[in-house]
Amino acid sequence: MKNYYSSSKLIVLLFAAMNLVISSAIYAGGGYDYSRSELMGNSGLTIFREADFGNEMGLSISIDGIPITTLSRGEGYRAMLRPGRHVLTVTNTPSPYGKTKFTHRTVNFVSGQNYSFTALWEVETILLEDGGYVYHGFYR
């Protein structure tokens, strides 16, 4: 009797684990874009922080000079903006040795379009590249 009870627990546990795996696979990938019905005439913006952006360092995001958020490792930012010209500013925080790096990018947002950027840490600057996060392979 005890063997039957433990095997039924195992079956229920496996079923729950399979449901979690299937549901996570559905939401994985490029599902970060808004649909046209969600945008309702606005523009979609997604900013990713590259995984190796820096230890003990965050990525601060400002839009049109207004501070929005600070991203830590593994985070991204997603929002809807009015169409038109906007200035995206990203900076490292806290800045090591008092050397804050700023990157400004002017983007003309078009109604109904999604825009995706990835912030990359380079030796002397922060790059804001087009597109979502791109896997660069293993680092040695």
Side-chain angles (χ1 to χ4, degrees):
M1 187 73 155
K2 187 175 182 181
N3 196 13
Y4 174 75
Y5 181 70
S6 64
S7 65
S8 64
K9 276 186 173 179
L10 181 63
I11 290 172
V12 170
L13 182 64
L14 288 174
F15 180 73
M18 286 180 54
N19 282 335
L20 286 173
V21 168
I22 291 171
S23 65
S24 65
I26 291 171
Y27 293 109
Y32 294 105
D33 290 343
Y34 291 102
S35 67
R36 286 193 176 263
S37 62
E38 287 178 311
L39 289 175
M40 295 185 294
N42 293 314
S43 300
L45 171 66
T46 305
I47 298 176
F48 296 99
R49 177 187 182 269
E50 187 178 44
D52 65 344
F53 185 79
N55 291 334
E56 309 287 330
M57 194 180 323
L59 175 74
S60 293
I61 299 172
S62 299
I63 300 174
D64 296 331
I66 301 169
I68 302 296
T69 189
T70 300
L71 303 178
S72 61
R73 181 173 286 176
E75 291 185 329
Y77 175 73
R78 185 175 168 211
M80 283 189 237
L81 297 172
R82 297 266 182 217
R85 182 180 169 159
H86 295 282
V87 177
L88 305 176
T89 304
V90 292
T91 184
N92 58 331
T93 181
S95 57
Y97 311 111
K99 297 180 180 178
T100 304
K101 306 292 183 191
F102 290 94
T103 297
H104 305 283
R105 180 144 186 192
T106 302
V107 181
N108 290 318
F109 288 92
V110 177
S111 176
Q113 296 292 319
N114 286 294
Y115 296 86
S116 181
F117 299 98
T118 301
L120 307 169
W121 175 259
E122 291 296 321
V123 176
E124 293 294 322
T125 187
I126 300 171
L127 298 177
L128 196 57
E129 292 187 350
D130 289 335
Y133 179 76
V134 178
Y135 178 69
H136 294 289
F138 292 105
Y139 293 98
R140 300 175 200 241

